[in-house]
Structure formats: C-alpha cells, structure tokens
Amino acid sequence: MTMNSYRKTAVAIGLLFLIATVAYMVGSGLIDSVIHSEQSLEQVYPERTKVMTGVFLELINAVAVVCIAILMFPILKKQNEAMAIGYYGSRIMESVFLLASIIGILLLVAASQDYAGSGATEGSYYDTIKTLTTKGYDLAFDLAMLVLSLGSLMFCYLLYRSQLVPRILSVIGLIGYVALLASSCLGIIGKDPGMLLFIPGAVFEIVFPIWLIVKGFNFKAKD
C-alpha cells in the first residue's frame, strides 16, 4: 500500500467515524424520545416517521462501524495481528447488537399499530410488549457498548504503542473506553450511570477522526 493509499484510507476512516457518531447520536435521540416517553403504546405508531428516521440512522451507524473495522484491519495487523482480529471482531459484534436493537424497535412499531386497531385498554399485554421491547433495546445498546469498549481498548493500545496518531489522543481514547466499559456494565445490571461516562469517549470519537482527516496516520512501519 502506497502512502497516498494510506492517506485516502485515513480520510475514509475519519469520515466513517464521524458519520457513525452523528448517525447514532441523532438516531438514538429520535428513538428514545418516543419509546422512553410516558405516552402509551398507542402513540408510538403515529410517531413512526420519527422512529423510522432514527432506525435508518442507526442502520447507517451499524454499517459504518463494520466498514471502519475492514479499513483498520490491515493497518492494525502490522502492529499486532491478534489484537487487530480482536478489534475487528468487536466491531462486527457491535453491529450485530445494534441490528438486533433495530429489529426490536420495528416490532414495537408494528405492535403499536395493532394496539391502536384492537381497542385494547391500558394495562393489557400490549403494554408488557412495550416494556420488554424497550428494555431489550436498552440491553442491546449496553451489550454493543460493552464489546465496543473492549475492542477499542485494544485499538487505542495499538495506536499508543505504534504512535500512528499523537499519544495524547490514544490516552484520551483509553480513558474514554474504560469509562464506556464501566457505563455499559452498570447498564447491564440495571443501574443508570447517566451521560458523564460517555464524555471522554465522545471527545475521542470526534477529535480522532478530525485528526485523521487533517493529518492522517503517522506511519513508521514499512509495508
């Protein structure tokens, strides 16, 4: 791979990181505003445009993270093949969990449509469906963040060791993904960690891709 090819790859990875981050933040925000509101299941279907827009954006995110893994693998493989495979696998698993959460939301929209036409009353089994689907969506998200954080710790370690980017960026990433790991573990056991633990990781996932787009990787290893 030539240096020009590496430069194009760095830009592509940077853009994919930004696309994934923005798509998920906006998409999950749209979905959460509907499924985590106090309104009944009947009101989910009328909000389907908002929900389906969120689903589409989360689908873009799921595809983007796989593309990131594919593009990063040959670069990370030069540093440590086992960790490169680990990072690759974690992003695939993240995408699978994200897709699973999307399926749950689609089922919720269908249940809401059926609920509205059935004349069911509050407290019926439809409300149980909403509760279980919402919890399933949250659990799938926490599992996706769990595998993302574990894989990304390996990713940031390789960045730090190889100095492909300034080490301060790698350190921010390590801190961010440790915090994300803690947040996902708390979420899985039913605790609400709030948004504070997401901040370091969010900083990395914005600054890191911008660096790649502007500066690219600092390659020292030979092809």
Side-chain angles (χ1 to χ4, degrees):
M1 185 180 286
T2 65
M3 292 306 297
N4 186 49
S5 297
Y6 277 132
R7 184 75 186 93
K8 291 180 179 178
T9 300
V11 171
I13 293 171
L15 290 174
L16 285 168
F17 259 98
L18 291 177
I19 289 170
T21 299
V22 173
Y24 192 82
M25 289 177 64
V26 176
S28 64
L30 290 172
I31 292 173
D32 287 346
S33 68
V34 176
I35 70 170
H36 288 128
S37 68
E38 296 299 323
Q39 57 192 13
S40 69
L41 177 61
E42 183 180 10
Q43 294 169 300
V44 173
Y45 184 70
E47 296 279 356
R48 64 189 179 278
T49 300
K50 182 186 293 185
V51 174
M52 296 306 293
T53 301
V55 166
F56 177 71
L57 290 171
E58 289 200 3
L59 179 60
I60 290 175
N61 172 58
V63 173
V65 299
V66 173
C67 292
I68 290 170
I70 293 171
L71 292 176
M72 281 301 312
F73 181 73
I75 296 172
L76 297 178
K77 183 179 178 182
K78 293 177 179 295
Q79 311 304 322
N80 185 301
E81 185 171 359
M83 286 190 173
I85 293 173
Y87 177 69
Y88 184 92
S90 72
R91 303 239 69 170
I92 299 298
M93 291 178 64
E94 175 194 357
S95 181
V96 170
F97 283 126
L98 292 173
L99 291 174
S101 71
I102 289 173
I103 293 172
I105 295 303
L106 294 176
L107 292 175
L108 181 63
V109 173
S112 175
Q113 182 181 18
D114 190 42
Y115 176 91
S118 68
T121 60
E122 291 289 334
S124 68
Y125 76 93
Y126 284 102
D127 292 315
T128 302
I129 291 175
K130 181 186 178 186
T131 299
L132 292 176
T133 305
T134 301
K135 289 184 176 180
Y137 174 81
D138 292 337
L139 178 59
F141 168 76
D142 287 326
L143 290 172
M145 295 304 99
L146 177 66
V147 295
L148 167 64
S149 58
L150 291 173
S152 295
L153 285 173
M154 292 185 283
F155 172 64
C156 290
Y157 169 76
L158 292 179
L159 291 179
Y160 180 87
R161 194 179 70 174
S162 63
Q163 298 184 60
L164 288 171
V165 296
R167 280 185 162 174
I168 184 62
L169 276 181
S170 305
V171 171
I172 293 173
L174 288 167
I175 294 171
Y177 290 118
V178 168
L180 182 60
L181 178 61
S183 176
S184 59
C185 289
L186 288 171
I188 289 171
I189 64 175
K191 304 294 183 179
D192 182 10
M195 297 302 296
L196 183 62
L197 293 177
F198 284 92
I199 294 175
V203 171
F204 173 78
E205 294 200 352
I206 293 173
V207 177
F208 172 70
I210 291 175
W211 180 272
L212 289 186
I213 293 169
V214 175
K215 296 288 189 179
F217 289 111
N218 177 30
F219 286 103
K220 294 183 178 181
K222 296 180 180 179
D223 287 337

